[in-house]
Structures are given as C-alpha cells and as structure tokens.
Amino acid sequence: TGDSAASSAPVRRSARTDRRWVNRARGLASSAPAWANRMYRRSLLVIRALTDPETGAQIAALRDGWDSVWPRDAATGAIALSSAGFESEARRNARFLAELSTDDAARFRPDGSPISDGRELQGDGAGWVGAAAKATGLAGVPVPQGDRWRDRGDYGERSGESGDLLGNAIAGGAGSEEILDKFGYRGRLVRQAGDKGSGFDAAAAWAITPFPRAELLTSARHTLAALLPPTNPFGIPPSSDWGGDDPWSAPTAWTAWSLATIGERAIALRLMLAIRRSETPTGMIPERVGAHTGLPRSTTPLGWSHALAIMALEELWPPSPMVPSRVSG
C-alpha cells in the first residue's frame, strides 16, 4: 500500500546512508573470505549505530543498563574506527573520552556526566583513553602513571572482587618487572596479584597489544596458551578460574587480535571462527553465549566485541590503505 511504502522510505534511506558510509572503510585484503568481510562491515556498522555523530560518545549497547559509555569499550571503538580509515569519527570519539575523568566513575552518560551507581571505579580506563588518543593522533592526553590502577574494578566488574588485577596493571602503566613479580606464576600471569588461584587471565593479551611490553611477551603467550585447550567451539572465558563455562566474545576477540599481531595466525583464525559461530543470524556478536548451544546469554550486540573483532580481522587480513571496502552483505 501507499502507507507501507511511505513508512519504509526512511529505512531505505538510512540503509543507503549506512552503505555509503561503510564503503569508505579501508577494507580487508583481497584474500579475506566472505564471512570475514561480512563480520568486518557489520561490526563497523554496529559501532556507527552506537555512536553519537555529534559528540562522539559511544555507548556499550542499545539496552537498559548498557546504554552508557565505558571508557575501555568506547576507546576500543575509536581505535577500530581509526584503523578502518574513519579518522574524523575516531578522533571525535577519542576527544569525548579525553574530557572524562575516569577517577569519577566507571561509566558515563552520553552527555559526559558520571554515573554514580555504586559500581567500582575501573583501573584500566585512563590507559584505554590514552590508547585511543595515541591511535587517533590526539595530543595532550597524559599517559597513566602512578598507582591509579590499584585496588579497583576491572573489565569483569565482578562485585566484591578486590585487590590488584592484571588487566588494570597492564593498561594502567605498571612496569613489566612489577607485573612479573606480582602476577607471575609458573611462567604465566594470574588475574589477581599474589593469588595463584585467581586463574590465568586473558587480559595478558593486552601486554601484546594495545599496551605492548616486550618483557612480558613470553609470559603473555604462555598465559593465553593455557586458556585455549580444550577449545570451546564458541570461544574462551576471561580467565581459567572465571566460574561457569560460557565463552565470552570480548576475551576471545582480543586474544585473536593479540596472537595475530605476533604471527600466531592459525590460533587467531580459530578464535575468530569461534566468534563467527557465536554470531546471531543477522551478524550480531553477543557478550557471551551458551557453552553448549552458542546461543546468546547476554547483551547482543556488544560494541566492544565488534570493535575487537575489527582489529583481529585487520591483523589476519591487513587492508591496503588505498582500497575501500565494497563487499556486499
């Protein structure tokens, strides 16, 4: 009918706008398979949908409780946008983050105001903001120094967890010697300082990228190897003693990104195929999925996971800086 045609016109216009936008991406190498190109493009579109085009504020997901800005999630989005060739959008995102005070809250409203809901301050926020600034060429953002990462919550946001946590130490600027001393155990890195029972932590991958520490490379590789077997077909947990056996997409994708960076292509590809299996039919990546079903068990899509997937795919099939992405799907 005429009414239905009129109501669908805005949808068609929006789809054309999105298609034109994503076609500006650098694109993966020509050897990339179709599934990788689809994941790459859809992931870029998810980040676009979660980002305010005026302010650069990127929320974690379109869901109550997740419709806020977490510095680590949004910073990864900025890094991914920059890497894909969307420099102006990425810098707008990084500039928004640089104006936040990660000492005020764990997350923020899209207008930049802190959310005071009792959630623990995050020890990695300033580090991720700095990484986004570096990736986008934004000057004047200080590198984390001192002990601001200590005794704060981390990416797991597990209530009641206290002490010094590995991801925070890596992102927060702790020295390699201190990290090995506090978190090292049998050549690997545990989640909580001095607690060998806290499990080997996938955040060890951050010491490969985006917070490289050459002195931690061997320990990081051994830590990640401990999380891989037996490999679940849908991914890996955040740590070897996480609790529950559901795979989480963000640790799976950031592990793939880091391993691909150091040439561990076969394992990185295996992890990205696990992400592929956990996608919904429309290509959305859930925060976590059932260990035996691969069905979403949490927020879908999660912008952080999509941003990390972009980075992993670009490491596996490095794009040419001059070739835009014009693959249908």
Side-chain angles (χ1 to χ4, degrees), residues 42-239:
R42 288 173 182 171
S43 293
L44 284 168
L45 288 171
V46 166
I47 294 175
R48 173 177 165 85
L50 296 176
T51 303
D52 187 316
E54 299 296 327
T55 67
Q58 181 194 319
I59 60 174
L62 292 170
R63 175 185 171 187
D64 286 348
W66 276 258
D67 52 351
S68 306
V69 179
W70 273 264
R72 77 174 70 85
D73 298 46
T76 314
I79 295 168
L81 287 172
S82 179
S83 183
F86 296 100
E87 287 86 359
S88 61
E89 293 94 328
R91 184 169 291 195
R92 190 179 303 119
N93 183 319
R95 188 175 294 112
F96 174 88
L97 292 171
E99 293 174 355
L100 303 178
S101 172
T102 55
D103 290 328
D104 289 345
R107 59 190 180 127
F108 300 81
R109 297 181 182 85
D111 64 4
S113 60
I115 297 176
S116 301
D117 58 356
R119 195 181 302 257
E120 289 186 60
L121 292 177
Q122 305 292 284
D124 62 350
W128 279 104
V129 171
K134 180 179 179 180
T136 60
L138 186 65
V141 179
V143 175
Q145 294 180 342
D147 295 336
R148 293 169 62 190
W149 60 272
R150 293 185 185 279
D151 201 24
R152 291 190 177 189
D154 73 348
Y155 70 89
E157 295 194 346
R158 295 199 285 186
S159 106
E161 189 170 50
S162 61
D164 295 342
L165 303 171
L166 178 65
N168 292 345
I170 294 172
S176 298
E177 184 176 346
E178 180 180 9
I179 290 174
L180 289 171
D181 179 60
K182 291 182 177 297
F183 299 93
Y185 176 64
R186 294 185 176 178
R188 297 165 179 157
L189 299 169
V190 296
R191 177 174 171 78
Q192 187 164 330
D195 182 2
K196 64 183 181 181
S198 60
F200 301 121
D201 193 344
W206 299 0
I208 299 173
T209 190
F211 308 102
R213 305 274 211 295
E215 302 85 355
L216 298 179
L217 177 58
T218 299
S219 295
R221 292 177 77 161
H222 290 167
T223 303
L224 298 177
L227 293 170
L228 293 173
T231 303
N232 184 287
F234 306 111
I236 64 173
S239 71

